[in-house]
Amino acid sequence: MQLQDVVAANPVIAGIQDDKGLNAALTADVKVVFTLYGSILNIGDIVAQLKAAKKIVFVDVDLVEGLASRPSAVEFIAKTTDADGILSSKGHLLAVARQKKMLTVHRFFLIDSRTLYTMQRQYDVGHADMIDVMPGIMPQAVSWVTHETDVPLISSGLISTKEAIMADLAAGATGISTTNTTLWQN
């Protein structure tokens, strides 16, 4: 099964930022987890716990303490963890992850129209499996992005209600990532 199919069938993605979120994700009704914290000392253990709970695990390589934005960071994650994929805003890191046969999610911060219009060029560097746009509380922007690209889209950031989830899904998002643990249950 492809990543976009898993996300379409289970559109809420747990974003974990600390051990409390990790513990909640272990028993939550989510299939995919974005690991948004950790260090080179504990990322392997975090991923191992999630994999034992049968989760599809992405590591936001940009947020792991002790790693730089270099290809060796992706190689470190691939070699020392059982992560299924990498989440990053840096296309060159996603390209390395794809070479390592890892799943990839390219994160974009929609801060202005320029970002929207340069997304395709940035995406072309890493050719990620999915893109993630932030902040996710802008269904109109989600709609714009889904009309600009045929890459499946995840929206994330500041999503704190079921209504926000439903609005982004209606706007064309395939999935929604949120750190709000109350939204992880069906």
Side-chain angles (χ1 to χ4, degrees):
M1 183 177 270
Q2 289 193 327
L3 176 61
Q4 72 184 63
D5 297 331
V6 172
V7 172
N10 307 275
V12 176
I13 298 167
I16 60 170
Q17 323 182 75
D18 53 31
D19 288 342
K20 183 178 177 183
L22 169 63
N23 291 328
L26 294 173
T27 58
D29 292 333
V30 294
K31 299 288 183 210
V32 180
V33 177
F34 287 174
T35 306
L36 309 173
Y37 82 112
S39 73
I40 59 172
L41 300 174
N42 66 0
I43 194 66
D45 292 335
I46 293 167
V47 171
Q49 289 179 64
L50 292 164
K51 293 302 292 178
K54 302 200 181 331
K55 308 296 182 185
I56 296 171
V57 182
F58 284 79
V59 172
D60 188 331
V61 72
D62 302 338
L63 298 178
V64 176
E65 291 180 36
L67 295 180
S69 294
R70 300 202 191 318
S72 59
V74 175
E75 292 172 15
F76 174 82
I77 297 298
K79 187 174 184 176
T80 64
T81 77
D82 288 325
D84 297 286
I86 295 294
L87 170 68
S88 180
S89 62
K90 296 164 181 68
H92 72 282
L93 297 181
L94 298 168
V96 173
R98 288 185 62 79
Q99 290 173 354
K100 299 284 183 191
K101 307 292 187 221
M102 298 181 86
L103 297 169
T104 54
V105 174
H106 197 151
R107 177 165 277 172
F108 291 95
F109 299 93
L110 295 179
I111 56 172
D112 57 22
S113 59
R114 182 174 179 230
T115 305
L116 179 65
Y117 297 117
T118 61
M119 280 180 65
Q120 187 64 47
R121 187 178 58 217
Q122 294 175 45
Y123 169 81
D124 287 343
V125 173
H127 293 283
D129 296 294
M130 297 186 82
I131 59 175
D132 177 35
V133 295
M134 294 183 77
I137 57 168
M138 301 184 312
Q140 185 175 13
V142 168
S143 180
W144 291 338
V145 173
T146 58
H147 284 85
E148 290 292 320
T149 181
D150 60 356
V151 181
L153 181 135
I154 297 166
S155 96
S156 61
L158 303 175
I159 297 175
S160 61
T161 65
K162 279 253 193 229
E163 293 78 18
I165 290 173
M166 300 311 291
D168 278 1
L169 292 174
T174 302
I176 309 298
S177 173
T178 179
T179 58
N180 185 331
T181 60
T182 63
L183 299 175
W184 295 352
Q185 305 302 330
N186 288 333

